[in-house]
């Protein structure tokens, strides 16, 4: 390509090529009108993408910082101030706690009147779930809602999470340290609705003693290992007369407690041989059914020949 | 110090707009340009050295492309000069295996060089005549362009760079050359008939508008009186594509 020198300056020259392009080139001692080849052409600076101004850079930096702070704040808020799980402590006074991801207690709600009393003047904000659970159990013990040997139920909503397993272990340990029995479950839905019941079982051992009280009905069986003859049957009736012993049950013990525990005695009896004709039901059911209790007083006069009950 | 910096920035901004101011600035900083060239050559450059010319051209490029976000001007210019000189050195190195025409032949006492044995096909006297005629044409063209308010440096700045744009402009020039009334109108009104050119050549009017000053120069070459220049750009005037 040939170039015609159109104009000369100390540092550069204006050239026109054969395609009528007009270009700048280094003035290598050219003269106007001269035709040259292979000139040193101006390297046109590639038009760079519009540069970002300093102000814009600052704005972008501020916006990025704001985004990071907002994101961090949102994560922090989610971890510390958003309910993540629910823990229910059932110790006569039933309490429900909302717990954050980080394990902090967000709020505590009483589920019954006793719980409202238990929570009066209690501040739980910012405390760990385990700490609050321990403190609530301590308060329940102090205020007499639970006693040694009672069972305390704790239900954690997030069953499958690792932290719940750890929490359950810790809770069991801490409850055991109060000489209480722990009933820790993972799923809240599985929590029994009447949580007051668990406090009663410790009283259950009474039945073995009661076993001797109702001995009256079995006694005849025991005394007469062989089933008595039919004529003996007539002498049997005094058995129902025994119920007078029943009144003992309500008297000394916290008798109100035992009635709900009927199942224990039923399972307990070793199964003494019962006379077939004898009302087998009497042994087991008599304590429960009130009817025999009422009937005997009436029946006693029916058997005057029998020795009067002691 | 700050005043110097501000003054230099003002001079650079002025040099970007005015070729004379640019020449003055280059003249003012010739010691700096020499110094940078000397650093590269490791000797004082003589005015005949191509390296000095290239360094001056690099300084001119630096003036054109400088903006304050690129840092201090002199550092930027020094980098530009050095890069250009390195490029030129690499380009010249390709020809290192060639024999110089000034190489002596026979014994050095004879004083004969290779150039003395080669037949000179050029005709210097004819060339000088053509060059003089060309110079006159260019001077005339430059004067006529002044009437249109256009300088050659403006044309260089305004010339199309992309091949497609250049082809569109050449199409318009061909149309004008084939329609004498268009050229007459152009000379009479001293305005480029962009609408007619765009409609007649079938190109975008906006494309022609962007390169109006370039069209002024080429359309003037197409009118009578610029035989040598027309011969130089014959390819375009024939309507061929630019290579």
């Amino acid at each position: 390509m040939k170039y015609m020198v159109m104009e000369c300056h100390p540092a550069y020259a204006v050239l026109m090529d054969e395609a009528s392009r007009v270009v700048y080139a280094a003035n290598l001692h050219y003269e106007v009108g001269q035709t040259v080849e292979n000139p040193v052409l101006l390297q046109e600076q590639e038009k760079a993408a519009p540069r970002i101004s300093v102000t814009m850079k600052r704005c972008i930096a501020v916006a990025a910082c704001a985004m990071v702070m907002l994101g961090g704040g949102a994560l922090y808020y989610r971890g510390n101030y958003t309910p993540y799980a629910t823990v229910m402590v059932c110790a006569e006074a039933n309490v429900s706690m909302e717990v954050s991801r980080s394990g902090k207690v967000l709020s505590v709600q009483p589920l019954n009147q006793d719980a409202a009393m238990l929570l009066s003047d209690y501040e739980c904000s910012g405390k760990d779930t385990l700490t609050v659970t321990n403190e609530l159990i301590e308060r329940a013990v102090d205020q007499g809602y639970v006693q040694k040997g009672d069972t305390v139920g704790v239900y954690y909503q997030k069953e499958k999470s690792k932290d719940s397993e750890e929490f359950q272990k810790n809770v069991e340990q801490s409850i055991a340290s109060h000489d209480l029995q722990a009933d820790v479950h993972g799923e809240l839905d599985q929590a029994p609705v009447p949580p007051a019941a668990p406090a009663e079982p410790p009283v259950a051992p009474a039945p073995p003693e009661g076993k001797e009280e109702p001995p009256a009905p079995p006694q005849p069986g025991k005394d007469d290992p062989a089933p008595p003859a039919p004529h003996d049957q007539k002498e049997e009736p005094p058995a129902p007369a025994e119920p007078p012993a029943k009144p003992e049950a309500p008297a000394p013990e916290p008798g109100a407690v035992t009635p709900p525990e009927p199942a224990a005695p039923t399972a307990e009896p070793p199964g003494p041989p019962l006379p077939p004709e004898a009302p087998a039901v009497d042994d087991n059911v008599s304590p429960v059914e009130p009817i025999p209790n009422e009937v005997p007083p009436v029946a006693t006069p029916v058997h005057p020949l029998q020795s009067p009950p002691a | 110090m700050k005043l110097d910096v501000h003054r230099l920035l003002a001079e650079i901004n002025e040099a970007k707009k005015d070729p004379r101011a640019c020449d003055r600035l280059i003249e003012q900083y010739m010691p700096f340009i020499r110094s940078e060239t000397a650093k590269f050559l490791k000797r004082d450059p003589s005015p005949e050295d191509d390296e000095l010319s290239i360094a001056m051209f690099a300084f001119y490029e630096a003036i054109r492309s400088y903006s304050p976000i690129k840092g201090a001007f002199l550092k930027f210019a020094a980098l530009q000069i050095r890069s250009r000189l390195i490029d030129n050195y690499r380009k010249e190195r390709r020809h290192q295996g060639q024999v110089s025409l000034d190489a002596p032949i026979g014994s050095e006492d004879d004083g004969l060089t290779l150039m003395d044995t080669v037949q000179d096909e050029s005709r210097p006297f004819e060339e000088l005549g053509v060059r003089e005629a060309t110079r006159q044409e260019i001077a005339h063209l430059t004067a006529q362009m002044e009437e249109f308010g256009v300088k050659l440096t403006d044309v260089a700045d305004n010339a199309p760079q992309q091949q497609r744009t250049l082809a569109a402009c050449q199409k318009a020039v061909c149309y004008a050359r084939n329609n004498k009334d268009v050229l007459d109108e152009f000379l009479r009104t001293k305005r480029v008939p962009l609408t007619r050119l765009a409609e007649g050549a079938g190109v975008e009017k906006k494309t022609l508008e962007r390169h109006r000053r370039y069209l002024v120069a080429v359309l003037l070459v197409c009118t009578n009186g610029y035989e040598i220049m027309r011969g130089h750009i014959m390819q375009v005037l024939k309507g061929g594509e630019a290579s």
Side-chain angles (χ1 to χ4, degrees):
Chain A
M1 177 77 77
K2 287 184 178 177
Y3 293 82
M4 181 182 284
V5 180
M6 306 286 288
E7 192 173 296
C8 284
H9 290 262
Y12 62 96
V14 179
L15 312 181
M16 180 186 271
D17 70 3
E18 291 169 317
S20 76
R21 285 193 195 91
V22 183
V23 293
Y24 289 104
N27 185 2
L28 302 176
H29 317 292
Y30 296 148
E31 291 178 5
V32 175
Q34 185 183 354
T35 303
V36 297
E37 293 181 27
N38 299 322
V40 179
L41 297 177
L42 180 76
Q43 287 178 346
E44 274 300 329
Q45 299 292 323
E46 289 181 9
K47 286 186 180 176
R51 284 179 173 272
I52 304 170
S53 66
V54 177
T55 314
M56 185 60 78
K57 279 180 186 172
R58 284 180 186 162
C59 288
I60 291 171
V62 169
C65 288
M67 290 286 287
V68 169
M69 288 175 69
L70 278 175
L75 283 176
Y76 181 79
Y77 182 83
R78 185 164 167 255
N80 290 283
Y81 298 103
T82 308
Y84 170 69
T86 304
V87 177
M88 200 166 163
V89 180
C90 305
E92 197 74 32
N94 302 332
V95 176
S96 170
M97 296 188 286
E98 280 190 336
V99 183
S100 69
R101 272 174 196 274
S102 60
K104 303 283 182 190
V105 175
L106 299 176
S107 65
V108 179
Q109 292 173 344
L111 298 180
N112 54 17
Q113 194 65 28
D114 292 340
M117 295 288 288
L118 181 72
L119 291 177
S120 60
D121 300 333
Y122 179 68
E123 184 57 44
C124 68
S125 61
K127 290 182 181 174
D128 188 46
T129 312
L130 192 60
T131 308
V132 172
T133 307
N134 284 333
E135 288 178 0
L136 286 178
I137 292 170
E138 281 174 12
R139 286 170 74 95
V141 171
D142 293 344
Q143 295 179 18
Y145 291 111
V146 287
Q147 295 169 355
K148 287 187 178 179
D150 287 355
T151 301
V152 175
V154 177
Y155 307 98
Y156 196 89
Q157 190 184 24
K158 293 285 178 182
E159 185 181 21
K160 291 179 180 176
S161 59
K162 290 179 182 176
D163 53 342
S164 74
E165 290 173 7
E166 190 179 344
F167 172 76
Q168 287 174 19
K169 283 181 185 175
N170 291 333
V171 163
E172 282 174 1
Q173 288 176 2
S174 66
I175 290 176
S177 69
H178 290 93
D179 293 335
L180 297 171
Q181 292 184 17
D183 180 18
V184 182
H185 290 289
E187 194 61 44
L188 186 62
D189 298 338
Q190 295 174 359
V193 180
E200 309 305 327
V203 190
E209 298 164 6
K211 220 178 179 183
E212 296 174 359
E213 291 174 8
Q219 270 177 359
K222 281 179 184 177
D223 297 341
D224 308 328
H231 64 272
D232 289 340
Q233 267 189 339
K234 291 178 181 177
E235 294 175 8
E236 285 288 327
E242 291 291 329
K246 287 277 176 182
E248 291 174 0
E253 286 283 345
V257 180
T258 43
E261 275 301 310
T266 54
E268 293 292 331
L274 296 175
E277 67 284 357
V281 187
D282 289 1
D283 290 340
N284 299 328
V285 182
S286 62
V288 180
E289 290 181 355
I291 299 166
N293 292 342
E294 294 173 6
V295 174
V298 181
T300 42
V302 178
H303 304 282
L305 297 177
Q306 283 284 351
S307 60
Chain B
M1 185 65 180
K2 268 194 173 179
L3 281 176
D4 287 348
V5 172
H6 285 298
R7 191 168 54 80
L8 178 58
L9 279 176
E11 285 176 351
I12 291 167
N13 286 333
E14 194 185 347
K16 282 181 182 179
K17 298 169 192 166
D18 185 6
R20 288 175 192 168
C22 186
D23 291 346
R24 278 199 303 273
L25 187 62
I26 291 169
E27 195 67 35
Q28 187 182 338
Y29 278 87
M30 272 309 289
F32 169 76
I33 298 169
R34 281 178 179 280
S35 141
E36 291 299 322
T37 312
K39 279 182 196 170
F40 181 79
L41 292 176
K42 296 189 172 51
R43 63 174 170 82
D44 272 345
S46 64
E48 289 78 27
D49 281 335
D50 280 353
E51 282 83 0
L52 185 61
S53 299
I54 288 168
M56 289 168 70
F57 186 57
F59 191 82
Y60 171 69
E61 280 181 330
I63 291 171
R64 283 173 63 98
S65 60
Y66 176 72
S67 71
I69 58 171
K70 292 182 177 175
F73 172 72
L74 290 181
K75 283 186 181 177
F76 174 70
L79 185 66
Q80 199 87 349
I81 289 169
R82 186 168 176 75
S83 303
R84 262 297 191 178
L85 288 173
I86 290 171
D87 286 349
N88 184 64
Y89 170 74
R90 287 177 181 157
K91 187 178 163 188
E92 291 298 319
R93 202 170 52 178
R94 292 178 206 150
H95 308 295
Q96 274 184 351
Q98 296 178 357
V99 180
S100 171
L101 286 173
D102 294 325
I105 297 175
S107 62
E108 291 190 2
D109 298 338
D110 297 341
L112 287 174
T113 61
L114 187 59
M115 190 181 285
D116 295 331
T117 61
V118 176
Q119 186 181 357
D120 188 5
E121 291 180 356
S122 65
R123 298 166 184 173
F125 293 108
E126 281 183 19
E127 275 187 12
L128 278 176
V130 171
R131 188 179 295 181
E132 184 58 34
T134 310
R135 188 180 296 158
Q136 285 178 6
E137 270 191 16
I138 292 170
H140 192 256
L141 176 68
T142 309
Q144 200 173 3
M145 283 167 58
E146 291 281 342
E147 295 174 13
F148 288 80
V150 177
K151 295 176 189 171
L152 270 174
T153 49
D154 294 337
V155 176
D157 288 332
N158 196 238
Q161 302 295 323
Q162 287 188 351
Q163 191 66 37
R164 192 176 54 183
T165 315
L166 182 65
C169 291
Q170 287 174 350
K171 222 172 170 182
V173 171
C174 281
Y175 174 78
R177 191 165 179 265
N178 295 331
N179 295 274
K180 211 162 181 294
D181 53 330
V182 175
L183 283 178
D184 290 342
E185 184 188 343
F186 166 64
L187 291 174
R188 191 180 64 251
T189 60
K190 299 204 183 308
R191 298 181 65 179
V192 181
L194 292 172
T195 309
R196 285 189 68 182
L197 285 175
E199 287 174 357
V203 296
E204 287 287 330
K205 187 183 173 185
K206 208 159 193 173
T207 307
L208 301 182
E209 271 178 358
R210 287 199 191 106
H211 305 287
R212 191 185 65 80
R213 284 175 287 184
Y214 166 78
L215 284 174
V216 167
V218 181
L219 286 175
L220 281 176
V221 171
C222 290
T223 58
N224 287 331
Y226 302 106
E227 298 296 331
I228 300 170
M229 295 180 70
R230 270 211 303 276
H232 180 68
I233 58 171
M234 185 57 73
Q235 184 186 358
V236 179
L237 299 180
K238 279 180 181 173
E241 291 283 315
S243 59

